[in-house]
Short mmCIF file of all heavy atoms in Angstrom, two decimals:
data_model
loop_
_atom_site.label_atom_id
_atom_site.label_comp_id
_atom_site.label_asym_id
_atom_site.label_seq_id
_atom_site.Cartn_x
_atom_site.Cartn_y
_atom_site.Cartn_z
N TYR A 499 -14.08 22.79 -0.06
CA TYR A 499 -14.73 22.15 -1.20
C TYR A 499 -14.99 23.17 -2.31
O TYR A 499 -14.91 22.84 -3.50
CB TYR A 499 -16.05 21.51 -0.78
CG TYR A 499 -15.90 20.20 -0.03
CD1 TYR A 499 -16.52 20.01 1.21
CD2 TYR A 499 -15.15 19.15 -0.55
CE1 TYR A 499 -16.39 18.81 1.90
CE2 TYR A 499 -15.01 17.95 0.15
CZ TYR A 499 -15.63 17.80 1.37
OH TYR A 499 -15.50 16.61 2.06
N GLY A 500 -15.30 24.42 -1.93
CA GLY A 500 -15.50 25.45 -2.93
C GLY A 500 -14.24 25.72 -3.73
O GLY A 500 -14.29 25.97 -4.95
N ARG A 501 -13.07 25.67 -3.08
CA ARG A 501 -11.80 25.85 -3.80
C ARG A 501 -11.58 24.68 -4.76
O ARG A 501 -11.16 24.87 -5.90
CB ARG A 501 -10.64 25.96 -2.81
CG ARG A 501 -10.77 27.13 -1.83
CD ARG A 501 -9.59 27.19 -0.86
NE ARG A 501 -9.87 28.13 0.20
CZ ARG A 501 -9.92 27.82 1.50
NH1 ARG A 501 -9.66 26.58 1.89
NH2 ARG A 501 -10.19 28.75 2.40
N LEU A 502 -11.84 23.46 -4.27
CA LEU A 502 -11.68 22.28 -5.13
C LEU A 502 -12.62 22.36 -6.32
O LEU A 502 -12.25 22.00 -7.44
CB LEU A 502 -11.90 21.00 -4.32
CG LEU A 502 -10.93 20.74 -3.17
CD1 LEU A 502 -11.29 19.45 -2.45
CD2 LEU A 502 -9.48 20.68 -3.65
N ASP A 503 -13.85 22.80 -6.08
CA ASP A 503 -14.79 22.98 -7.20
C ASP A 503 -14.24 23.96 -8.22
O ASP A 503 -14.30 23.72 -9.44
CB ASP A 503 -16.15 23.47 -6.68
CG ASP A 503 -16.95 22.40 -5.97
OD1 ASP A 503 -16.79 21.21 -6.31
OD2 ASP A 503 -17.74 22.75 -5.07
N ALA A 504 -13.71 25.08 -7.74
CA ALA A 504 -13.18 26.09 -8.65
C ALA A 504 -12.01 25.56 -9.47
O ALA A 504 -11.80 25.95 -10.62
CB ALA A 504 -12.75 27.33 -7.86
N MET A 505 -11.24 24.63 -8.88
CA MET A 505 -10.10 24.04 -9.58
C MET A 505 -10.49 22.83 -10.41
O MET A 505 -9.64 22.21 -11.05
CB MET A 505 -9.00 23.66 -8.57
CG MET A 505 -8.31 24.86 -7.95
SD MET A 505 -6.91 24.43 -6.88
CE MET A 505 -7.75 23.91 -5.39
N GLY A 506 -11.79 22.47 -10.39
CA GLY A 506 -12.25 21.36 -11.21
C GLY A 506 -11.86 20.00 -10.70
O GLY A 506 -11.67 19.06 -11.49
N VAL A 507 -11.78 19.83 -9.38
CA VAL A 507 -11.36 18.56 -8.79
C VAL A 507 -12.59 17.68 -8.58
O VAL A 507 -13.57 18.09 -7.94
CB VAL A 507 -10.64 18.79 -7.44
CG1 VAL A 507 -10.26 17.46 -6.80
CG2 VAL A 507 -9.40 19.65 -7.65
N ALA A 508 -12.54 16.46 -9.11
CA ALA A 508 -13.66 15.51 -9.01
C ALA A 508 -13.56 14.72 -7.71
O ALA A 508 -13.45 13.49 -7.70
CB ALA A 508 -13.68 14.60 -10.22
N TYR A 509 -13.62 15.41 -6.58
CA TYR A 509 -13.42 14.79 -5.26
C TYR A 509 -14.63 13.93 -4.87
O TYR A 509 -15.72 14.03 -5.44
CB TYR A 509 -13.17 15.87 -4.21
CG TYR A 509 -14.28 16.89 -4.09
CD1 TYR A 509 -15.40 16.67 -3.29
CD2 TYR A 509 -14.20 18.10 -4.78
CE1 TYR A 509 -16.42 17.61 -3.18
CE2 TYR A 509 -15.21 19.05 -4.69
CZ TYR A 509 -16.32 18.79 -3.89
OH TYR A 509 -17.33 19.72 -3.80
N ARG A 510 -14.40 13.11 -3.84
CA ARG A 510 -15.50 12.32 -3.28
C ARG A 510 -16.31 13.21 -2.34
O ARG A 510 -15.78 13.73 -1.36
CB ARG A 510 -14.97 11.13 -2.48
CG ARG A 510 -16.07 10.25 -1.89
CD ARG A 510 -15.47 9.21 -0.93
NE ARG A 510 -16.47 8.23 -0.53
CZ ARG A 510 -17.34 8.38 0.47
NH1 ARG A 510 -17.35 9.52 1.16
NH2 ARG A 510 -18.20 7.44 0.77
N PRO A 511 -17.60 13.42 -2.60
CA PRO A 511 -18.41 14.23 -1.68
C PRO A 511 -18.56 13.54 -0.32
O PRO A 511 -18.47 12.31 -0.23
CB PRO A 511 -19.78 14.32 -2.39
CG PRO A 511 -19.51 13.94 -3.81
CD PRO A 511 -18.36 12.99 -3.77
N PRO A 512 -18.79 14.30 0.73
CA PRO A 512 -18.94 13.69 2.06
C PRO A 512 -20.14 12.75 2.14
O PRO A 512 -20.17 11.86 3.01
CB PRO A 512 -19.10 14.89 2.99
CG PRO A 512 -19.42 16.05 2.12
CD PRO A 512 -18.82 15.77 0.78
#
Side-chain angles (χ1 to χ4, degrees):
Y499 284 127
R501 300 179 191 120
L502 297 179
D503 286 331
M505 290 186 282
V507 178
Y509 58 85
R510 181 189 189 276

